[in-house]
Amino acid sequence: MELYRSIIEDLKAWKRNSERKPLILKGARQTGKTWILEYFGRTEFKYTAKFNFDKDHSIHEIFETTKEPSRIISQLSLLIDSPILPGETLLIFDEIQECNPALNALKYFYEDASEYAVVAAGSLLGVALSKGDSFPVGKVEFLNLYPLTFKEFLKTINEKLYSYIEELTEIAPLPQFVTDRLSELYQQYLVIGGMPAVINYFLENKGMEKVKKEQQTILNAYTLDFSGA
């Protein structure tokens, strides 16, 4: 079962915009930024070219030596099998907060190569932006990705019930069995939360012990972020 994320509609609107700027997808760790961008690339583009600045530090060298989009694309193309083509390839810069020159390069993609669809994602962009390096103010767009809302959770778990609620056209009491089912699902949502990885454990029937363990793993990672460890 695939998680429903409403932000995909915002991404589609960004793609259709003839005056689009490079897009930065912001969000806390584990909210599904990488997954949603890969899904977007897979369903809306012919090719997807993803580069992770945290996993592959050799990519940093490209952005440290040039700001010219044509040269950047030419060199990035050597690292992957799929082509990077205007209008056909979604170019993903993942964990971009690890490379400030890459953040700065988004300005030149907007000014000199706007035909390319460029999206960037990062978990700690606020920290990166405070480092004093030049940031492309006014040259990028932002979207924020949050944990799943109850509405997204409901559509993922029970699309029939979601559609029934969405199609209501008047204010009137709901049938008791509908109210009971909604209440049950909302209580599940309150216990599980909106983190995609945790919800996936629940959907895969791995048991509440696995769910709680994954919740604790995420909390531990957040604690390390806050402490700067």
Side-chain angles (χ1 to χ4, degrees):
M1 187 181 294
E2 204 163 70
L3 299 182
Y4 168 71
R5 303 308 311 265
S6 60
I7 198 172
I8 197 69
E9 299 304 321
D10 297 318
L11 291 169
K12 290 178 181 178
W14 170 80
K15 180 191 176 185
R16 293 192 298 266
N17 184 1
S18 61
E19 299 179 351
R20 68 172 178 240
K21 302 174 182 178
L23 177 69
I24 293 180
L25 183 63
K26 298 173 63 180
R29 293 192 190 278
Q30 302 294 321
T31 50
K33 297 182 298 299
T34 302
W35 181 87
I36 197 68
L37 291 181
E38 289 178 342
Y39 175 83
F40 179 51
R42 187 170 65 251
T43 56
E44 297 294 324
F45 291 83
K46 187 174 182 179
Y47 306 105
T48 301
K50 189 185 78 165
F51 301 91
N52 188 305
F53 290 93
D54 184 42
K55 289 182 179 179
D56 189 354
H57 282 261
S58 65
I59 304 170
H60 293 220
E61 183 181 355
I62 296 174
F63 292 86
E64 289 166 354
T65 55
T66 182
K67 294 182 179 180
E68 186 179 334
S70 61
R71 290 184 61 191
I72 291 171
I73 290 171
S74 177
Q75 293 179 39
L76 289 176
S77 297
L78 299 175
L79 303 175
I80 57 174
D81 295 328
S82 58
I84 302 176
L85 302 173
E88 296 186 31
T89 303
L90 179 65
L91 186 56
I92 301 174
F93 295 149
D94 202 8
E95 301 294 351
I96 196 171
Q97 78 278 356
E98 298 295 330
C99 183
N100 275 276
L103 270 170
N104 182 251
L106 297 179
K107 168 184 177 180
Y108 301 100
F109 272 94
Y110 171 65
E111 292 178 346
D112 304 325
S114 60
E115 68 272 19
Y116 288 93
V118 182
V119 292
S123 301
L124 298 173
L125 276 169
V127 175
L129 299 185
S130 69
K131 292 181 179 178
D133 292 76
S134 178
F135 182 76
V137 177
K139 307 296 182 180
V140 295
E141 299 177 42
F142 290 95
L143 273 179
N144 290 296
L145 182 64
Y146 301 100
L148 270 77
T149 63
F150 176 64
K151 189 174 180 180
E152 291 173 314
F153 179 81
L154 177 61
K155 183 166 184 176
T156 298
I157 299 292
N158 192 325
E159 188 162 359
K160 282 187 177 180
L161 184 54
Y162 169 87
S163 297
Y164 173 79
I165 298 299
E166 284 291 290
E167 291 167 6
L168 293 174
T169 57
E170 60 182 25
I171 299 176
L174 293 172
Q176 188 61 45
F177 73 91
V178 172
T179 302
D180 290 345
R181 183 59 176 145
L182 282 172
S183 178
E184 177 188 347
L185 289 172
Y186 185 60
Q187 289 178 48
Q188 286 180 347
Y189 173 74
L190 292 178
V191 172
I192 297 165
M195 287 304 196
V198 179
I199 294 175
N200 278 326
Y201 272 117
F202 174 74
L203 294 176
E204 293 166 7
N205 295 313
K206 293 193 175 182
M208 285 307 297
E209 193 62 36
K210 289 277 189 181
V211 166
K212 291 178 182 177
K213 186 175 181 180
E214 184 62 23
Q215 287 173 330
Q216 190 59 53
T217 298
I218 293 172
L219 284 173
N220 290 342
Y222 273 49
T223 300
L224 290 175
D225 279 347
F226 294 150
S227 67

